[in-house]
Amino acid sequence: METEYDFSQGKRGAIDPTPSGKTRITIRLDDEVLAWFRERVHIAGGGNYQTLINEALRQYIQASREPLEETLRKVVREELERIKR
């Protein structure tokens, strides 16, 4: 190990830049919630639990936006299509 390092060209901040469309935040989740998502990823054979959390949040948002009547129509259409096959 060198006795003195030159940090004059060093840059502050994250080592890996955050991809466009993503925001780094700090969030506190219950241990059980985090364990559930990690277990789902493990069962699936790998992946990223954060991606799974994002997808769950997206589904919740979509369900909140879509009126119940539209959701029921969608389900009925899907079931009728399945029966026709």
Side-chain angles (χ1 to χ4, degrees):
M1 208 164 154
E2 292 185 33
T3 57
E4 191 174 316
Y5 291 92
D6 179 15
F7 292 105
S8 62
Q9 301 299 315
K11 296 179 183 175
R12 292 182 59 101
I15 295 170
D16 294 329
T18 304
S20 178
K22 301 271 186 178
T23 302
R24 180 182 295 268
I25 64 166
T26 300
I27 185 171
R28 297 184 191 282
L29 300 174
D30 292 342
D31 292 339
E32 308 86 51
V33 171
L34 193 54
W36 188 89
F37 280 100
R38 286 180 170 160
E39 180 66 20
R40 295 289 107 18
V41 168
H42 178 72
I43 290 170
N48 186 325
Y49 71 91
Q50 292 173 343
T51 301
L52 203 57
I53 292 171
N54 261 333
E55 183 56 33
L57 291 171
R58 278 192 196 91
Q59 287 177 11
Y60 176 80
I61 290 168
Q62 183 61 35
S64 297
R65 287 183 185 160
E66 195 171 85
L68 179 59
E69 181 181 349
E70 186 59 36
T71 302
L72 289 173
R73 285 182 175 159
K74 189 166 108 178
V75 169
V76 169
R77 281 189 211 111
E78 289 172 0
E79 289 301 311
L80 287 174
E81 185 63 33
R82 190 175 64 83
I83 291 170
K84 288 179 184 177
R85 293 182 193 169

